[in-house]
Amino acid sequence: MKKIFFVLFISFVTNFLAQEKLFTTDNELEYLLRDPFFKSCQIGVDVYNITKKEIVFRHNEKLLFRPASNMKLLTSAAALYFLGPDYKFKTKIKYDGTIKDGTLNGDIYFIGGFDPDFTSDDLDSMVMLLKDEGIYKIAGNLYADVSNMDSLFWGEGWMWDDDPSYNFPYMTPLVINDVAMYVAIKPNSIGDLAEVKTIPESNYFNFVNNITTVDNDTTDLIISRDWINRSDSLILDGGLFVGSKPDTIMINLRNSNHYFLTLAKETLGKNNISFNGICKIKIAPESATEIVTNERLFSEVIVNLNKDSDNLSTEMTLRAMALEKYGKYASAKKGIKLIDSLITEVGLNPKNYRLVDGSGVSHYNLISAELLNELLIYMNLYHPELYEVYYNSFPVAGVDGSLKYRMKSGSAFNNVHAKTGTLSGVSALSGYVHNKNGDLISLSIQTQNYVGSSRTARSFQDKICQILSNME
């Protein structure tokens, strides 16, 4: 009897272990996607083991989704492919006329080359170099040459009510300070107006400060633009709690070219270069002489582009591609032609998707999890030298960028390198993770058409990453 019981017990254990073994990664992921959350919204998943060259899991992989900032994966990959990591964004100063006895008898032209990270400090360095060239007085005018780009300052399908967020920049090839206003605010004594200043301080800015320091924690602080006159003047209203920490708020700039010229004029004054002319927009004559150039490598730009999901960096990169390939006047449509070419190289048909901008801000974009995952596979297998730059530009789970506060524990921590994407009703995550055996796994997860916070969608993405990182 004991022998029969022992045989039955062994049989039960064997069957149980067999069932456990059958509960694969596929089963885990399928079970996860049965959650009621997905009854009312859509999810597409495509996972591939690059090391073993085999499909891990697919679900709605061909379904079209609004990619949000996952669109940046396509733009940055295309830029690496067509421009290369050593491509240089150039902001130039040219002049016409002659230099004699420290005086430039002619005009200065600031020529924009789509450098998204150009700052006041860069401008100051360039102006100081004018003195090294023997210029102490400009007996002419200052001009902004923005002819490298077409006249469309916003992307197709960008929403008017996203203005004045700095995440929706008014685009120009002559970027400075993220084409945004930095407004520093800190409380004062109760009943007094809060302290407000712009960074950098400039005569360009005009604002009405009606923010009162109050003794109760309030959330009615309003910072808005003068909409009626469509200007960059700010209106600041509401109450600021006396115990609030100093904060800096960014607002996009409508008239960014005029802002650049104002800062240029003020920087000349700070460097004791005399100037009393006018500031306007004008194309530099072909005969103008280049005198100073500021350069920035794409290998530097791509880090901020992907890790911090910077829209301005992406849109400038898209237009830099167009300028390099097609010349003036660079546009989003011309840049997207190059992304279409990359999609063809990957082995898919660009006509099956809709691309209208580089950053994913537009709700008109439509791509699939399959497309993004095939791109990730392609970059790793066929362009290893570009892949390293590409991979290192992605946010790292629990460590930095837009994944800094996600997956801070477990096997996904410091393992997942992936690009996030978020719009209203849209959440996406695509990138790479290593499993327990060290195999490199590529993945794309697209979620859309849910109501409310993206927290739930992000939670499922994180769970999928944990499952894949634990996979053997």
Side-chain angles (χ1 to χ4, degrees), residues 389-410:
V389 179
Y390 194 52
Y391 179 83
N392 289 331
S393 74
F394 290 2
V396 182
V399 176
D400 63 17
S402 54
L403 284 179
K404 186 175 183 178
Y405 301 105
R406 292 174 59 179
M407 294 175 271
K408 291 187 72 67
S409 61

Side-chain angles (χ1 to χ4, degrees), residues 1-11:
M1 191 68 166
K2 287 182 179 180
K3 186 175 181 180
I4 294 171
F5 175 78
F6 180 74
V7 170
L8 288 173
F9 176 74
I10 292 296
S11 176

Side-chain angles (χ1 to χ4, degrees), residues 61-79:
E61 75 278 4
K62 293 183 182 293
L63 198 65
L64 295 179
F65 289 81
R66 302 188 299 280
S69 284
N70 266 202
M71 184 66 205
K72 293 181 174 73
L73 291 170
L74 283 161
T75 307
S76 57

